[in-house]
Amino acid sequence: NNNDSGSTELSPFEEYKKRITAIYTEHNPSKLTEIPTLMAKYKDQEQVLYVKICNKYNVTPTPGPKAVGGQQAQGTAATSSATGPFGGFGTSSSG
């Protein structure tokens, strides 16, 4: 697996391990020894583990590394207008 693109981009596993380590270092250092066990338990579900830990310690989760490049921002401004293009005009249909 020779992924030598010159960037220092971590694998999702390493990225989440780093984030989780940072959270535990700040909020609960006694849990640091459990990180390898947790990472193994949540293999391929690192995002789930990370979000759970964030929620537990009231940390705002950062979007996952896999989202890089995908222009799918949640709740874009173009689609969030509930009123529609006509602002609700012409909806009173009296016979």
Side-chain angles (χ1 to χ4, degrees), residues 14-68:
E14 290 294 332
E15 176 64 34
Y16 284 118
K17 187 176 179 182
K18 193 177 81 171
R19 294 180 189 187
I20 289 165
T21 301
I23 293 170
Y24 278 151
T25 300
E26 189 177 334
H27 297 278
N28 195 351
S30 65
K31 284 271 199 184
L32 287 169
T33 55
E34 292 180 33
I35 292 174
T37 309
L38 287 168
M39 295 299 287
K41 186 177 172 184
Y42 283 87
K43 183 170 165 28
D44 299 326
Q45 295 179 40
E46 291 88 3
Q47 169 85 30
V48 175
L49 173 64
Y50 170 64
V51 171
K52 280 187 176 193
I53 292 169
C54 286
N55 290 341
K56 184 171 184 175
Y57 296 104
N58 289 319
V59 175
T60 305
T62 317
K66 289 176 185 169
V68 173

Side-chain angles (χ1 to χ4, degrees), residues 73-82:
Q74 291 165 344
T76 54
T79 55
S80 65
S81 118

Side-chain angles (χ1 to χ4, degrees), residues 2-23:
N2 223 357
N3 200 357
D4 237 6
S5 58
S7 71
T8 55
E9 195 174 308
L10 297 172
S11 69
F13 177 88
E14 290 294 332
E15 176 64 34
Y16 284 118
K17 187 176 179 182
K18 193 177 81 171
R19 294 180 189 187
I20 289 165
T21 301
I23 293 170

